[in-house]
Amino acid sequence: MEIVIVPDAAAGGELIATAIAELFTRKPDALLGVATGSTPLPVYRALEAKVEAGTLDVSRARVCQLDEYVGLPAGHPQSYREVLLREVLEPLGIPGERFTGPDGAAEDIAAAALAYDRELAAGGGVDLQLLGIGTDGHIGFNEPCSSLASRTRIKTLTEQTRADNARFFDSPDEVPHHVLTQGIGTILEARHLVLLATGAAKAHAVVQAVEGPLCALVPASALQLHPHATVVVDEAAAAELRLADYFRATYAAKPDWQSL
Ligand code: GLP
């Protein structure tokens, strides 16, 4: 696992956007997995700037979702599909036909979950999956004690996660209890995992995920199993890392030709 400590969220966004731009240069029809929440927004704004500057061509890019609420009607402004259309697809000029996600409004949720895993595999798999981290260490919506081998499926949110996400809804009661999320096993199939964490509220989850034991109680610790996982943290989120100086020195000495 590579840990990169950046000065602030904007620097993290630029670094990750550069890695994504390199991916699309190498593979124009790459499948990019995107995440919701506030943390990845600097990545999306940096990507948008690259498209506007003409340094990033997304004319063949494909995009997929990590997770989705269950039970929100299709088109609900806080459904993750709508959020990602607004924050990522529209600003980058990528049409909805090249964007896919789990169907949280499906009648048969179990079938929708299975269909999504199959669709990702049939599409050649995810090339780069962008991840945030919950304050309880969740990735996607894989709450603590999710199986480390899990596939896309329905999950119940913890009250902590519902409270964390309540800011996006008119009232806390509107936050759904159920979600469809790529499983941890599904996420681990992406070729490159890039987790961004910023702010002091994430410091404890970050240290548990990076330096703690691999355990289902901290779903993000599953990144320790992945052969190509990058964790980008700002100074505040890095505050509890015991090996912070080592991570800084390693990144500073990294050869120029080696990207994330
Ligand atoms: C939600 C999403 C996660 C995201 C997390 C943290 O639970 N399902 O993918 O990582 O929120 O969000 P934020 O970046 O706003 O802290």
Side-chain angles (χ1 to χ4, degrees), residues 34-41 66-69 80 129-136 138-143 157 161-162 164-165 167-168 179-181 195-198 201-202:
V34 290
T36 50
S38 308
T39 311
L41 295 179
L66 186 58
D67 48 10
E68 182 58 277
Y69 289 114
Y80 279 178
Q129 178 64 56
L130 184 58
L131 297 166
I133 186 168
T135 53
D136 60 4
H138 73 245
I139 49 173
F141 267 137
N142 293 282
E143 295 285 32
L157 294 181
T161 300
R162 290 188 69 239
D164 286 348
N165 289 359
R167 67 189 189 281
F168 297 111
V179 293
L180 263 180
T181 181
L195 186 148
L196 177 63
T198 53
K202 300 294 173 68

Side-chain angles (χ1 to χ4, degrees), residues 7-145:
D8 53 32
E14 181 59 36
L15 182 73
I16 296 172
T18 299
I20 293 171
E22 284 169 6
L23 168 66
F24 284 126
T25 301
R26 215 167 51 237
K27 184 177 180 184
D29 65 346
L31 180 56
L32 172 67
V34 290
T36 50
S38 308
T39 311
L41 295 179
V43 178
Y44 305 143
R45 297 296 70 81
L47 287 173
E48 190 181 351
K50 287 181 192 305
V51 168
E52 276 170 14
T55 55
L56 169 59
D57 177 4
V58 289
S59 57
R60 293 174 62 200
R62 297 176 298 139
V63 181
C64 66
Q65 247 173 278
L66 186 58
D67 48 10
E68 182 58 277
Y69 289 114
V70 166
L72 292 183
H76 187 289
Q78 289 310 324
S79 75
Y80 279 178
R81 182 171 178 88
E82 290 299 314
V83 169
L84 290 165
L85 283 169
R86 277 198 307 275
E87 298 290 355
V88 186
L89 281 292
E90 284 161 18
L92 298 187
I94 302 174
E97 306 89 77
R98 283 193 267 120
F99 175 44
T100 188
D103 182 2
E107 292 254 313
D108 186 341
I109 285 294
L114 193 63
Y116 190 50
D117 263 5
R118 287 194 177 137
E119 185 185 354
L120 292 178
V126 177
D127 289 289
L128 186 154
Q129 178 64 56
L130 184 58
L131 297 166
I133 186 168
T135 53
D136 60 4
H138 73 245
I139 49 173
F141 267 137
N142 293 282
E143 295 285 32
C145 294

